[in-house]
Amino acid sequence: MPRSAGGAVMSCNGARVRTMWVAVLAGAVMLAGCGAPEEGEPAAQETPDAAPEERVTEAAWTAVASGIEEGGVFVRPARIGASPISDAPTGGFQIGEVIVTTVRTDVNSSEYTSASVPEQVLVALDAEDGEVRWTQPVTGALTCAEAEIDGLLPCLVGGDPHEPGTGMSPAPNPETELHYFRLTDGTVATTVPAASAREVAVHDGSVILAWQDPYGQLGRVATLTRGTVDDPESEWRQEYELAPECDTQVRGFWIEVADGLIFFRGEQAFVARVSDGSRVPDEALYSVANVPGHGFVADLCETEAVSAVFTSAGDELARYERPSMVSVVSRSGAAAEPVYVVDGATVHDFATGEQLWQRDPRFFWVLALAGEVVLGSGSTPGGPTLGLDARTGEERWTAPFGEFGWVVGSADGEMITRGHNPSEIAGVGLDDGKRIWSVPVADVARVDLVGSGVLASTHQQLQLISAD
């Protein structure tokens, strides 16, 4: 597990969590001497023991976009919306020994129009020191898988850079192609046609592509394919009806692949098996939350107020009628036990649906889960943040209301938080709620957990917070 410069173990597991607001300000512990002075001696001054000093660390390395391409900005290798200034996501992802990102020079250009063909440079940074390993110019819309196949990085290049149905004029890009970049030097090993693809993923030695019909089209469908490097449709191709009654008004779509399942999210959601493309369950969903190593939670379309928990095999474990909120967090590893389901102020066991404990929802609600700790609100506005045992609901500690942030992840007795007052990433002890270390970051920085630590990104720079 990577360590910070001060030696604290940091969370760098790839499991994704839902971001929820938590208060993480720790108070100082005051201890005073209690022995009485001898008669005639001056009274000793009571002096508190020094509070444990929080370690303020530094990023392991910083990469600057303009140092790679003059006037450039970092953009995550993903398709952007109609407004490149507001919609271009920053950041990157780690594959093996490299951090993959792109640098674009047209994102903030006043000359950018919906008919512009994007120009960017695909970049691989050394995960250990941030040095540029290679760059590769790319013309056209770009989205890349976040995993490799046979030492190659699959990326879709070309086609309309905007999501279907945005009302923008399509850019005069060539038909979409699937380019396979060598991770060693960035050269293109092979290229295959992929005219109907907008998302790409890699799972278990196969390439998975996704497409969705334009908005407003009757009988709309989403399409998934699975295949080889040379033929992405060679194993199967499936179409999935998009039910109008399930529309969430989300424009755009994306996929995630884990545990033999494909999670499709957008204006509606569904889950399909990697093996043959069949739905699990066989229906459209409002939304879905993947819990790696365990299964998933889905909001069902049959009613707006029913959620269900499923195993990765598609077996229903539990159903929650009219929940005030259902959220799932699996905390210290992709398959760490146990996992909990939260319904407002009630906590359930993920695997059985058993209710473990609950509090009065008028005065308490769960903010997040980290490891074996539930972070909950106090009973009054501005009250303390409570750290409760996730299994029993018993209080472990309280922390004063103060610095706000969200939980990025947790491991080895610490949770990683992202705060804005001041703007920082911090490590907080799960046993006592006290801040252990912190790293200042830009106020607008995006935070991602990667294999080597925590990646903080803005359009101008990438910073890796790691301890090696």
Side-chain angles (χ1 to χ4, degrees):
M1 185 70 63
R3 295 181 178 272
S4 69
V9 178
M10 299 181 60
S11 172
C12 54
N13 188 279
R16 303 295 174 133
V17 303
R18 292 189 178 185
T19 57
M20 298 183 180
W21 293 103
V22 295
V24 295
L25 182 64
V29 178
M30 306 294 286
L31 301 173
C34 55
E38 294 292 334
E39 185 176 348
E41 291 183 355
Q45 296 293 318
E46 294 184 352
T47 58
D49 290 348
E53 183 178 353
E54 177 188 334
R55 296 190 301 275
V56 180
T57 64
E58 296 181 353
W61 53 258
T62 300
V64 179
S66 60
I68 300 173
E69 287 287 315
E70 184 176 356
V73 297
F74 284 118
V75 175
R76 194 179 184 90
R79 292 168 189 271
I80 65 176
S83 172
I85 296 177
S86 61
D87 295 341
T90 60
F93 48 84
Q94 184 168 352
I95 300 180
E97 299 178 349
V98 298
I99 302 290
V100 178
T101 185
T102 65
V103 174
R104 289 185 59 169
T105 56
D106 66 339
V107 169
N108 293 309
S109 172
S110 61
E111 299 178 358
Y112 185 93
T113 69
S114 62
S116 298
V117 177
E119 295 283 350
Q120 61 246 308
V121 176
L122 187 63
V123 179
L125 303 173
D126 190 291
E128 183 175 353
D129 57 21
E131 294 296 319
V132 176
R133 284 203 176 185
W134 52 260
T135 62
Q136 183 65 251
V138 176
T139 298
L142 173 72
T143 186
C144 296
E146 297 190 10
E148 57 87 20
I149 181 168
D150 300 331
L152 305 174
L153 173 64
C155 297
L156 293 166
V157 179
D160 184 356
H162 309 300
E163 295 292 352
T166 59
M168 302 298 296
S169 299
N173 286 345
E175 288 289 331
T176 306
E177 294 180 329
L178 187 55
H179 293 205
Y180 293 92
F181 297 90
R182 293 187 178 91
L183 284 170
T184 54
D185 58 12
T187 57
V188 178
T190 186
T191 299
V192 298
S196 295
R198 288 297 181 269
E199 288 290 315
V200 57
V202 170
H203 183 73
D204 195 24
S206 295
V207 176
I208 295 168
L209 301 180
W211 163 249
Q212 175 181 284
D213 284 341
Y215 301 103
Q217 180 174 310
L218 295 177
R220 298 174 59 237
V221 299
T223 303
L224 295 176
T225 69
R226 177 187 174 185
T228 63
V229 169
D230 295 327
D231 185 356
E233 298 188 13
S234 59
E235 298 181 38
W236 55 258
R237 184 181 189 276
Q238 292 277 12
E239 292 185 346
Y240 310 83
E241 293 184 3
L242 299 176
E245 65 274 14
C246 246
D247 192 354
T248 63
Q249 301 301 309
V250 173
R251 293 300 178 251
F253 67 94
W254 61 100
I255 61 171
E256 177 186 1
V257 187
D259 300 329
L261 297 174
I262 304 170
F263 300 88
F264 184 102
R265 301 182 181 92
E267 62 179 299
Q268 61 189 249
F270 60 86
V271 181
R273 293 184 177 88
V274 172
S275 59
D276 58 8
S278 58
R279 275 184 168 174
V280 186
D282 188 19
E283 59 183 301
L285 312 169
Y286 277 108
S287 62
V288 63
N290 174 31
V291 185
H294 296 274
F296 59 95
V297 171
D299 294 324
L300 307 181
C301 279
E302 62 187 49
T303 173
E304 294 182 3
V306 173
S307 297
V309 178
F310 297 88
T311 67
S312 298
D315 298 323
E316 185 174 315
L317 293 173
R319 183 168 290 220
Y320 301 92
E321 302 287 343
R322 301 199 173 278
S324 56
M325 178 184 73
V326 171
S327 59
V328 182
V329 184
S330 118
R331 293 312 50 121
S332 50
E337 291 283 2
V339 177
Y340 304 102
V341 176
V342 176
D343 174 4
T346 307
V347 176
H348 306 262
D349 183 275
F350 180 93
T352 65
E354 174 192 1
Q355 178 180 306
L356 300 177
W357 54 270
Q358 67 178 132
R359 290 199 174 195
D360 190 331
R362 296 175 299 172
F363 307 109
F364 176 87
W365 60 94
V366 174
L367 300 167
L369 293 93
E372 288 299 293
V373 174
V374 166
L375 302 178
S377 70
S379 59
T380 60
T385 295
L386 309 178
L388 308 178
D389 185 286
R391 197 76 191 172
T392 66
E394 296 179 359
E395 184 176 307
R396 290 188 177 187
W397 48 262
T398 65
F401 180 89
E403 299 173 355
F404 286 92
W406 61 84
V407 176
V408 180
S410 66
D412 300 310
E414 294 181 10
M415 62 180 171
I416 314 303
T417 66
R418 170 72 167 94
H420 287 286
N421 186 25
S423 186
E424 64 182 8
I425 299 169
V428 177
L430 286 172
D431 287 337
D432 55 15
K434 290 179 167 53
R435 291 156 53 91
I436 301 169
W437 56 265
S438 64
V439 179
V441 296
D443 186 58
V444 295
R446 167 187 171 129
V447 177
D448 292 291
L449 297 182
V450 296
S452 296
V454 183
L455 188 67
S457 58
T458 67
H459 280 148
Q460 286 69 43
Q461 66 180 27
L462 300 182
Q463 290 182 304
L464 185 76
I465 301 165
S466 176
D468 297 332

